[in-house]
Amino acid sequence: MGLTYKLIGGNFYVFPLEQVLENRGITKDLFNVDNNAVIDYNCIDNINRGAELLLTHLNNNSKIALVVDSDVDGCTSSAIMYRYIKQIKPEANIKYFIHLNKEHGLSKDIVIDDDIDLVVLPDSSTNDYEQHKVLKDKGIDVLVIDHHEAEGGYSENAVVINNQLSENYPNKQLSGVGVTYKFCKALDEILGLDFADSYLDLVALGNISDMVSMKSEETRYFVKEGLNNIVNPFLKALCEVYKYDLDGKLNISKVSWTIAPKINGVIRSGTHDDKVRLFEAFVSDDEVFCITMAQDCKAIKSKQDRDVKSAVPKLEKQIKEVNKCLILDGNKLNANYRGLIAGKLSDKYGVPVLIYSDMDGEYVGGSFRGCNFTDTFKDDLESSRLMDMVAGHQGAGGWSAKKKDLDNIKDYLNWYYKDKEIRLGKEHEVDFELEGSQVTNEFVNVLGSYEDEFGGDIQLPMIAVKNIGLTFADVKITKTNIIFEYNGIKYIKKFATKVLKEEFQNRTIMNLDLVGKVTYDTLGNRGIIENIQIEYNTQLRNAQGTNP
């Protein structure tokens, strides 16, 4: 079939870094951010009011409930809050609540006892207006430390600290853990302490995992500082257990693709006891326990991967035809897997996917994933005026609607996308399109040396390479990888499938085209190309379906 890709930019490979920076819409100055990027925490509304509220309750020996939100950002936010409180008052009476499923804020599974005096909600609850009133009417104070957009402004029954609502605070690309860190900086100032900065490693993990923009100078500064000083025992344990996958690196991309998914695997797929132990690991100084939990994260994530893989073909049986969207019944699925499975199907069929389960009464709801022909799927759904709720990011989130409207939603999306072309498989955006003979060591060394600066929405340099001539003697096949060199450049295909290995083994002479990302080999001390897709020649197709 050939590889499908799209060249972005001018393919100016003589100055490769400059071409990539131009394609990303950034300058090299972003790679050199310092503490001048930090914005005064006083620019965030209610931050000092919230700090005084917490300190008042601590001074009064109040009973405090800490609600741990169910994602990595939520875990790290609550871990910082818990650790900080225990650091300033070890005897503090604080109880943490862990969601039963992947729910958020003051959901029905969170039952606050009447004898609680203060509820603290890091990374959630800005929009829980009704629940705030119920608690306030019971005489329970509510402190929200969040970054999610608000549907109706500030709650009248809670102290809400939220960068999205703070007009004088320009950084809207700081996740909940970042706002929690800012809150601790305010506490530091009031108490004359300097504790908050010791949690920057968790600030880095939470922001990377929540996929906020790394183009924000302040967020980027916090992430870089955190990754350069890992002190949290559980995060250290995760780095130790996954050191092979990390390749001796700890950067934005490695955290995003190696560390974060293991934690999310527990949150999505673990038992409630697993989730409790996960949070306990984040707040523990017991190195043995942290290592054990890190190993458990790997096992739980592996089981999740197997479960999702087996669930996909079962759901595919519902697909009779593929138009411009798929709406599938997920009642027999583990609800925590709906988003993952929707993503798999979207990649495979090239269309948006909505998976639902029955809710109360006449409504259904579930997860959605967009596709490569629309960057605004969330908005597109809302434009139908058939949805009860749409939340999350443009390409991934949750939704609900009346069950009787499902066919109407499908008809609307088919009409709305009638002029869109379905492209099966992933369309790779590449910065360069070169013959194998044009790729030099200088080229890959320059780009590879900046690997730590890329990641998140600043994608690693991508390249389409054509006409790589090899013999089988040039190829090394290991248990997991396929490695070869051409024109002095090292290429590696990690986690190669059995089928791909057999294809290499069955050819004595081969000519390859590939799409890959430029990274850095710390052992070899040189830039390399990590292959994402390989095609035997054949031909390499651009996004218009023609030969370059």
Side-chain angles (χ1 to χ4, degrees), residues 221-338:
Y221 173 72
F222 292 150
V223 167
K224 297 287 292 211
E225 287 293 297
L227 293 182
N228 287 332
N229 188 27
I230 304 298
V231 294
N232 181 271
F234 182 51
L235 185 50
K236 280 186 174 181
L238 289 166
C239 293
E240 174 62 25
V241 170
Y242 308 126
K243 61 184 178 182
Y244 174 79
D245 296 334
L246 290 170
D247 291 331
K249 308 168 189 174
L250 192 66
N251 55 37
I252 297 167
S253 291
K254 289 297 184 181
V255 171
S256 178
W257 290 101
T258 302
I259 301 293
K262 306 301 188 299
I263 303 170
N264 271 322
V266 177
I267 294 169
R268 284 184 179 273
S269 308
T271 64
H272 187 256
D273 180 62
D274 292 330
K275 297 171 190 178
V276 171
R277 289 189 304 111
L278 176 70
F279 181 71
E280 289 175 346
F282 271 114
V283 299
S284 175
D285 293 322
D286 184 334
E287 293 181 4
V288 174
F289 171 63
C290 289
I291 286 288
T292 300
M293 190 62 221
Q295 293 168 335
D296 289 348
C297 287
K298 189 171 187 177
I300 293 168
K301 179 61 168 64
S302 296
K303 180 180 183 302
Q304 173 189 285
D305 291 343
R306 293 192 300 271
D307 289 346
V308 169
K309 185 177 180 180
S310 66
V312 168
K314 296 176 183 176
L315 206 63
E316 284 182 299
K317 292 179 180 179
Q318 297 180 34
I319 302 173
K320 305 305 179 184
E321 61 178 349
V322 180
N323 294 309
K324 296 300 174 67
C325 69
L326 291 172
I327 301 178
L328 302 172
D329 183 343
N331 275 296
K332 294 183 179 180
L333 293 178
N334 182 326
N336 295 318
Y337 295 161
R338 289 183 306 210

Side-chain angles (χ1 to χ4, degrees), residues 5 17 71-72 96 106 140 149 151 182 191 205 227 237 284 406 453 472 482-483 492 497 512:
Y5 73 96
L17 180 62
D71 59 16
V72 182
Y96 48 82
L106 290 166
I140 300 173
E149 294 182 358
E151 298 170 359
K182 290 280 191 176
L191 298 172
L205 173 59
L227 293 182
S284 175
L406 290 180
E453 304 296 340
F472 182 70
I482 298 172
I483 305 166
I492 179 169
T497 64
L512 307 178

Side-chain angles (χ1 to χ4, degrees), residues 92-365:
N93 189 351
I94 181 168
K95 177 183 179 181
Y96 48 82
F97 291 76
I98 310 292
H99 288 278
L100 294 174
N101 297 302
K102 198 175 185 306
E103 296 173 288
H104 303 281
L106 290 166
S107 54
K108 292 179 180 179
D109 63 320
I110 300 297
V111 179
I112 304 298
D113 299 329
D114 290 344
D115 64 344
I116 293 293
D117 301 300
L118 172 68
V119 179
V120 182
L121 294 130
D123 188 41
S124 72
S125 197
T126 291
N127 295 299
D128 291 338
Y129 302 105
E130 293 181 7
Q131 296 95 317
H132 296 165
K133 186 177 188 309
V134 170
L135 291 172
K136 193 67 174 178
D137 288 346
K138 291 181 177 181
I140 300 173
D141 287 330
V142 179
L143 174 60
V144 173
I145 309 170
D146 197 11
H147 75 116
H148 294 97
E149 294 182 358
E151 298 170 359
Y154 284 110
S155 172
E156 296 179 356
N157 297 291
V159 176
V160 177
I161 301 165
N162 189 318
N163 56 328
Q164 305 299 334
L165 290 169
S166 302
E167 293 183 3
N168 295 323
Y169 186 75
N171 184 9
K172 308 305 181 185
Q173 293 297 323
L174 188 67
S175 71
V177 71
V179 181
T180 303
Y181 162 77
K182 290 280 191 176
F183 179 72
C184 291
K185 292 293 284 185
L187 291 169
D188 272 356
E189 183 70 23
I190 293 170
L191 298 172
L193 300 172
D194 188 21
F195 291 165
D197 287 348
S198 64
Y199 302 119
L200 278 171
D201 54 348
L202 296 184
V203 175
L205 173 59
N207 275 280
I208 293 170
S209 301
D210 225 45
M211 298 184 293
V212 296
S213 177
M214 291 299 140
K215 295 179 182 179
S216 162
E217 292 186 3
E218 183 184 45
T219 301
R220 186 177 189 83
Y221 173 72
F222 292 150
V223 167
K224 297 287 292 211
E225 287 293 297
L227 293 182
N228 287 332
N229 188 27
I230 304 298
V231 294
N232 181 271
F234 182 51
L235 185 50
K236 280 186 174 181
L238 289 166
C239 293
E240 174 62 25
V241 170
Y242 308 126
K243 61 184 178 182
Y244 174 79
D245 296 334
L246 290 170
D247 291 331
K249 308 168 189 174
L250 192 66
N251 55 37
I252 297 167
S253 291
K254 289 297 184 181
V255 171
S256 178
W257 290 101
T258 302
I259 301 293
K262 306 301 188 299
I263 303 170
N264 271 322
V266 177
I267 294 169
R268 284 184 179 273
S269 308
T271 64
H272 187 256
D273 180 62
D274 292 330
K275 297 171 190 178
V276 171
R277 289 189 304 111
L278 176 70
F279 181 71
E280 289 175 346
F282 271 114
V283 299
S284 175
D285 293 322
D286 184 334
E287 293 181 4
V288 174
F289 171 63
C290 289
I291 286 288
T292 300
M293 190 62 221
Q295 293 168 335
D296 289 348
C297 287
K298 189 171 187 177
I300 293 168
K301 179 61 168 64
S302 296
K303 180 180 183 302
Q304 173 189 285
D305 291 343
R306 293 192 300 271
D307 289 346
V308 169
K309 185 177 180 180
S310 66
V312 168
K314 296 176 183 176
L315 206 63
E316 284 182 299
K317 292 179 180 179
Q318 297 180 34
I319 302 173
K320 305 305 179 184
E321 61 178 349
V322 180
N323 294 309
K324 296 300 174 67
C325 69
L326 291 172
I327 301 178
L328 302 172
D329 183 343
N331 275 296
K332 294 183 179 180
L333 293 178
N334 182 326
N336 295 318
Y337 295 161
R338 289 183 306 210
L340 297 172
I341 294 169
K344 298 280 187 186
L345 293 173
S346 174
D347 288 344
K348 181 173 182 178
Y349 291 94
V351 298
V353 176
L354 298 93
I355 298 179
Y356 68 87
S357 298
D358 293 333
M359 299 170 62
D360 295 336
E362 59 185 335
Y363 288 89
V364 296

Side-chain angles (χ1 to χ4, degrees), residues 488-499:
I489 307 301
K490 180 179 178 181
Y491 294 81
I492 179 169
K493 172 64 177 176
K494 295 185 176 181
F495 307 110
T497 64
K498 180 180 179 181
V499 171

